[in-house]
Amino acid sequence: MSHILVVEDEPGLLRALRINFHARRYSVLTASTGQQALDSAGQDTPDAVLLDLGLPDFDGIDVIRGLRSALTVPIIVLSGRSGLQEKIRALDAGADDYLTKPFEVDELFARLRAALRRAATDTGPPETARIGHHTVDVTAGTVTGPDGVVRLTPTEWQILKVLLAVPGHLVPGREILRQVWGPEQQHRTNYLRVYIAGLRRKLEPDPSRPRHLITEPGIGYRYQP
């Protein structure tokens, strides 16, 4: 039974979420303020956190940072803030996913199940990965496919390794730019578009409909195994 911390200051929604979690046989701990969330997580480590950003005492972004400093579990934001910059701030602060209110309960639980699966299998960067018909050997630094060895440029390799290190997780574009080109280049999103397109041409079975190197428009990219 997974143990979930739900942080929400709207009593009606909190009650509805609690009922839905119990019906699906999850163990639930609730909090209505940021301080309660931090205290609860410190006393009883959850398997995942669902977090509203509009809390009465702390900004939700600060709560994410506080939770992330002590926990590695998935954090899914549930928020009425639908702006792109809010989503980017939350993901940059350490959230794993972002769901805008109002949301469908079935979608929430599908995302939660996916996050819990990823957390259960996350043991660090993989030694090998599959992208379409290609096998990526991260340790050896090689890519092989049906037609033999595929040559990647050094920059393509760096981008690919950033994505492969967190399979299934969204990596903000600015974070990829920071790791590959440095902090001063975090606004150069055109760099990423060009190199991601190149990786897709080399590795995806159908580059126009990528299945493994996925774009989250305006936010970032993810490697989907």
Side-chain angles (χ1 to χ4, degrees), residues 12-142:
L13 179 55
L14 188 60
R15 183 168 54 254
L17 287 172
R18 186 189 296 113
I19 292 170
N20 275 279
F21 273 100
H22 285 157
R24 291 166 172 80
R25 301 186 183 279
Y26 288 89
S27 168
V28 183
L29 184 65
T30 62
S32 57
T33 69
Q35 189 61 60
Q36 288 177 4
L38 296 171
D39 291 343
S40 296
Q43 295 169 8
D44 187 5
T45 302
D47 295 306
V49 179
L50 304 186
L51 174 68
D52 179 28
L53 294 184
L55 299 172
D57 54 348
F58 297 146
D59 183 82
I61 300 298
D62 293 330
V63 178
I64 293 173
R65 294 191 181 104
L67 291 169
R68 188 53 76 212
S69 68
L71 302 177
T72 59
V73 302
I75 298 174
I76 301 176
V77 169
L78 307 178
S79 178
R81 304 175 187 177
S82 60
L84 177 60
Q85 289 305 313
E86 287 293 336
K87 295 180 181 180
I88 291 173
R89 286 182 67 220
L91 293 165
D92 281 346
D96 296 278
D97 205 347
Y98 195 110
L99 193 56
T100 303
K101 298 176 182 178
F103 52 82
E104 295 291 336
V105 171
D106 287 343
E107 181 182 3
L108 167 61
F109 280 97
R111 294 196 185 207
L112 176 61
R113 289 192 297 270
L116 290 170
R117 284 196 302 270
R118 290 195 297 267
T121 57
D122 279 353
T123 57
E127 294 183 1
T128 62
R130 292 283 298 177
I131 300 179
H133 303 301
H134 297 84
T135 298
V136 182
D137 188 325
V138 178
T139 304
T142 60

Side-chain angles (χ1 to χ4, degrees), residues 173-217:
R174 291 189 299 177
E175 176 61 19
I176 302 175
L177 287 163
R178 185 189 67 78
Q179 291 194 40
V180 176
W181 283 280
E184 69 282 357
Q185 301 296 334
Q186 291 186 63
H187 63 289
R188 301 280 191 177
T189 54
N190 57 311
Y191 286 8
L192 274 183
R193 286 195 293 270
V194 170
Y195 281 99
I196 292 290
L199 283 168
R200 287 174 176 154
R201 284 194 299 272
K202 294 179 180 180
L203 303 178
E204 289 276 6
D206 183 354
S208 64
R209 296 182 178 180
R211 296 174 55 192
H212 303 283
L213 302 176
I214 307 299
T215 299
E216 296 288 348

